Amino acid sequence: MKPENFDGAPFEALDFDSASVHDVVVVGSGPAGLTAALYAARSNLKPLVFQGPEPGGQLITTTDVENYPGFPDGVLGPEMMQKFEAQASRFGADLQYGVVTSVDLSERPFKLIVDEEKPIRTRSLIVATGASARYLGLENEKRLLGRGVSACATCDGAFFRDVDIAVVGGGDTAMEEALFLTRFGSRVFVIHRRDELRASQIMQDRARANEKITFIWNTVVTDVLGENDVEGLALENRETGEKSTLPVGGFFVAIGHSPNTDVFRGWLDMDENGYVITKADSTHCNIEGVFVSGDAQDHVYRQAVTAAGTGCMAAIDAERWLAEEESRATAPALSAEESR
């Protein structure tokens, strides 16, 4: 069934009949996508991988990664993703630059359009488009990303031992980040633009009860200060207009993430925030032959290692599903007597 808002015009304008059919296409090239590509390649499926608008995913903007198994001395995020790419390519994954801009999942082989002009057909599809952290949109926030600015306390909290840290946000994510950061920082300031939190009551109670956490109400961050590293924040009170400076060594943005799943909206079942819903204990979604891994379906853990794990699962699920499909297609038809 096609979504109500499906516009078939781009597909009618392209020649899909002459496009070769792939066994599996992987959309995304973060830890989930490249692990899926590696496992699919080792299964001799010759996966075609479209790397998307940010090849390598969120780890490309990360400096030291110290919590990924196998790197006891840590590793730079871009370096780790280069190793992922090299390993997937070694076994035959075809990594290509390109963004999947339209899909038609109404029948198999599925039809994809890459960069609005390239027709692709595939028997199975692994979605590993990830999610993007929401930022405030400040120029210096982007410039100092990975140098004191972060959107993941679990990833980077240990780099801020014995320094003052600020967290912006008022939901459960912000409270979770702030509480986690109290293990490392001297003090944790929670900056919120309103005078009350959106977080669940239990998370509010935990944060308020922690003596290391200080709340700064009715305040917005107008700039991130520092030349090479975060040295402080410029603040403005929304009620009084008063401007101030908060000296901190770390700034965590905790205003949520947005899954990069818009191109699949209407086709795949999603929750209210756009995360794809997969069947229990698998990466299968509501359309047979489509598998989803990584942060496109995980709004809880959001770690490189968990994304890689689900990428592995997706490739195994896809390989088994393709084998079952082939088995059914080649099985001899039962006679009327045999089918009784």
Side-chain angles (χ1 to χ4, degrees):
M1 181 180 294
K2 299 180 180 180
E4 291 182 2
N5 62 349
F6 176 71
D7 181 6
F11 295 88
E12 295 168 1
L14 297 177
D15 181 14
F16 279 89
D17 291 337
S18 61
S20 58
V21 179
H22 300 272
D23 282 326
V24 58
V25 166
V26 179
V27 185
S29 59
L34 292 177
T35 302
L38 167 64
Y39 272 77
R42 283 176 53 82
S43 296
N44 203 31
L45 293 176
K46 299 180 175 60
L48 175 61
V49 183
F50 289 106
Q51 295 182 284
E54 297 179 354
Q58 295 184 61
L59 283 180
I60 290 299
T61 60
T62 303
T63 51
D64 294 309
V65 178
E66 294 190 332
N67 56 1
Y68 198 92
F71 296 94
D73 299 320
V75 60
L76 293 174
E79 180 186 353
M80 187 168 82
M81 296 320 299
Q82 288 173 2
K83 292 179 181 292
F84 272 54
E85 290 182 9
Q87 192 172 8
S89 297
R90 175 191 167 197
F91 290 101
D94 182 5
L95 275 59
Q96 296 187 10
Y97 291 110
V99 177
V100 174
T101 51
S102 300
V103 301
D104 182 352
L105 307 181
S106 60
E107 59 184 7
R108 295 191 298 272
F110 302 126
K111 296 178 182 178
L112 315 176
I113 298 178
V114 176
D115 295 333
E116 300 183 350
E117 63 180 12
K118 183 176 181 179
I120 298 293
R121 294 192 296 168
T122 182
R123 296 184 179 89
S124 67
L125 178 66
I126 296 177
V127 176
T129 46
S132 298
R134 298 175 191 154
Y135 290 95
L136 299 176
L138 305 173
E139 182 178 351
N140 284 332
E141 174 189 46
K142 184 176 182 180
R143 181 176 65 82
L144 292 171
L145 189 63
R147 292 185 288 170
V149 175
S150 174
C152 179
T154 306
C155 308
D156 300 328
F159 297 120
F160 298 92
R161 295 181 185 275
D162 303 321
V163 300
D164 289 349
I165 304 169
V167 176
V168 64
D172 279 353
T173 297
M175 298 307 104
E176 289 169 1
E177 299 276 276
L179 286 163
F180 182 83
L181 290 167
T182 60
R183 305 178 187 181
F184 308 102
S186 301
R187 289 183 297 174
V188 177
F189 297 93
V190 175
I191 304 165
H192 188 43
R193 64 195 309 272
R194 300 183 178 88
D195 60 1
E196 59 182 18
L197 299 169
R198 295 178 290 105
S200 59
Q201 192 61 51
I202 188 171
M203 293 305 299
Q204 291 191 43
D205 293 343
R206 288 175 182 172
R208 292 177 190 273
N210 193 303
E211 61 183 13
K212 276 192 170 185
I213 295 178
T214 300
F215 289 90
I216 301 177
W217 304 105
N218 297 311
T219 299
V220 294
V221 179
T222 58
D223 201 2
V224 184
L225 309 176
E227 189 60 33
N228 298 312
D229 299 286
V230 171
E231 297 175 4
L233 302 175
L235 306 180
E236 181 177 339
N237 187 287
R238 298 179 70 233
E239 291 188 337
T240 66
E242 180 184 357
K243 294 179 171 57
S244 61
T245 299
L246 179 67
V248 292
F251 177 44
F252 286 78
V253 185
I255 56 176
H257 288 72
S258 298
N260 304 317
T261 56
D262 282 352
V263 71
F264 303 104
R265 192 171 294 277
W267 294 105
L268 305 183
D269 288 345
M270 302 179 184
D271 68 13
E272 60 184 4
N273 295 313
Y275 289 93
V276 179
I277 298 171
T278 52
K279 296 180 181 179
D281 302 320
S282 79
T283 61
H284 293 259
C285 64
N286 58 296
I287 295 181
E288 282 198 26
V290 180
F291 309 88
V292 188
S293 61
D295 289 8
Q297 54 85 42
D298 172 23
H299 58 85
V300 177
Y301 302 103
R302 293 198 298 264
Q303 299 298 300
V305 67
T306 53
T310 57
C312 163
M313 292 167 59
I316 292 174
D317 284 345
E319 188 276 329
R320 291 175 177 173
W321 182 84
L322 286 166
E324 291 170 1
E325 286 290 292
E326 183 176 350
S327 177
R328 281 193 289 267
T330 57
L334 295 176
S335 66
E337 184 69 26
E338 292 172 320
S339 62
R340 289 176 184 172

